[in-house]
Amino acid sequence: MEREEKKSSPDTANFSEIVKNAYDKGVNETEITLEKLMEELKADLRQLVVG
């Protein structure tokens, strides 16, 4: 059971980093729209699944 948790741990860390970056971008960038933010978030998450 521990092996599975350790195996998925990098994915969890990557997911957390992607969500954190999206949040930071949404809070700090005044010119970004919700649609653009969602597009970037989807693209980043697809890379996580593919990679």
Side-chain angles (χ1 to χ4, degrees), residues 3 8 31 34 45:
R3 289 182 184 174
S8 66
E31 297 296 319
L34 179 60
L45 291 173

Side-chain angles (χ1 to χ4, degrees), residues 10-24 41 44-45 48:
D11 290 339
T12 302
N14 290 338
F15 175 78
S16 297
E17 189 65 27
I18 289 171
V19 172
K20 181 184 179 300
N21 289 339
Y23 173 80
D24 289 342
L41 181 57
D44 290 343
L45 291 173
L48 178 65

Side-chain angles (χ1 to χ4, degrees), residues 25-43:
K25 186 178 282 191
V27 169
N28 295 323
E29 292 187 20
T30 57
E31 297 296 319
I32 196 161
T33 64
L34 179 60
E35 289 81 15
K36 178 69 176 164
L37 185 62
M38 291 302 294
E39 287 176 22
E40 292 178 10
L41 181 57
K42 286 179 189 178

